[in-house]
Amino acid sequence: MTDDPHLTDPDYDRHGGFPDYERAEPGPGFGRFLTAMRRAQDLAVSADPDSDTWDRAADQVENLVALLDPFAAAEGVGPANRVPSLPGAGSLLMPPYTDVRLNPEGVDLTVRFSRFHVGGNSAVHGGVLPLLFDSVFGMVIHAVGRPISRTGFLHVDYRKVTPIDTDLTARGWMREAQGRKAFVNAELRDPDDNLLAEAHGLMIQLLAGQP
């Protein structure tokens, strides 16, 4: 774009209420909390204790909910998704990506899936990969200097089984830009450079005031 969008839309950066995800510094306790929660997610889908242990676990989780419930905050206020130094930027929703490397062409990052992400037979659930690729697409938009955009469509081709407990590399780049539209690509590879999955999609720049 050649014109400064702030001249016609003073609220451009928020687009009528889009959260401003400024970097958060919640302290080391939040990192410990996320690590424990990710392990708890793994155990929630893999543990097989006796009934009494499930009751005790439920008691502890309910106590945790009671502890945090008074501090519920609006989107963009809590530290989740605002701590780049933590896996998944500090969001349990995001696959635990790390080592994000932005460049003028796009982004590279490392991701390691765990038992929580299994769909069956120790393979990552197919529905998890679009979530990863959608996150990569957003990073590409930021890396290449495009305005805030939302996903218009996302298509995934699955080439090989995606393993858990393995450091994988995801890469994303912009293929073409046409006005408000940015056509983006991404791929996921294993340590032997085998292509596990690839995606292409459309990111559309938000209009003035559009959330």
Side-chain angles (χ1 to χ4, degrees):
M1 293 195 333
T2 56
D3 297 327
D4 183 355
H6 298 85
L7 299 178
T8 56
D9 180 13
D11 200 31
Y12 174 79
D13 292 322
R14 296 182 62 81
H15 286 278
F18 199 94
D20 185 9
Y21 288 104
E22 295 181 350
R23 187 185 301 263
E25 297 182 3
F30 183 62
R32 289 176 51 216
F33 172 78
L34 284 180
T35 299
M37 286 295 294
R38 289 196 186 276
R39 182 56 182 156
Q41 287 178 323
D42 288 336
L43 292 171
V45 299
S46 63
D48 186 28
D50 55 45
S51 177
D52 179 63
T53 301
W54 278 127
D55 283 333
R56 289 164 52 203
D59 289 340
Q60 294 195 41
V61 173
E62 289 170 355
N63 287 336
L64 175 61
V65 170
L67 174 66
L68 294 178
D69 215 21
F71 302 98
E75 182 183 358
V77 176
N81 207 35
R82 299 200 298 129
V83 189
S85 61
L86 293 176
S91 172
L92 287 174
L93 173 65
M94 295 296 106
Y97 57 77
T98 58
D99 302 322
V100 177
R101 301 170 294 278
L102 301 177
N103 59 74
E105 287 72 44
V107 63
D108 295 88
L109 54 82
T110 301
V111 63
R112 186 182 182 93
F113 297 102
S114 64
R115 179 67 182 272
F116 178 68
H117 304 101
V118 167
N121 201 26
S122 297
V124 173
H125 192 293
V128 175
L129 297 188
L131 177 59
L132 171 67
F133 284 134
D134 197 35
S135 299
V136 171
F137 285 174
M139 294 179 202
V140 169
I141 293 301
H142 177 68
V144 302
R146 294 278 298 179
I148 298 171
S149 303
R150 284 199 183 275
T151 307
F153 69 78
L154 189 160
H155 176 90
V156 178
D157 289 307
Y158 301 89
R159 303 305 186 188
K160 293 177 70 71
V161 168
T162 299
I164 63 171
D165 301 327
T166 304
D167 287 339
L168 309 173
T169 300
R171 183 172 73 93
W173 64 97
M174 185 175 71
R175 186 175 73 255
E176 182 183 2
Q178 297 177 1
R180 293 174 53 216
K181 299 179 180 180
F183 297 91
V184 290
N185 285 59
E187 62 182 24
L188 181 68
R189 293 181 178 271
D190 68 13
D192 295 322
D193 204 35
N194 293 307
L195 180 63
L196 305 176
E198 56 187 336
H200 66 269
L202 169 65
M203 303 294 286
I204 305 175
Q205 175 190 341
L206 295 179
L207 295 171
Q210 183 178 4

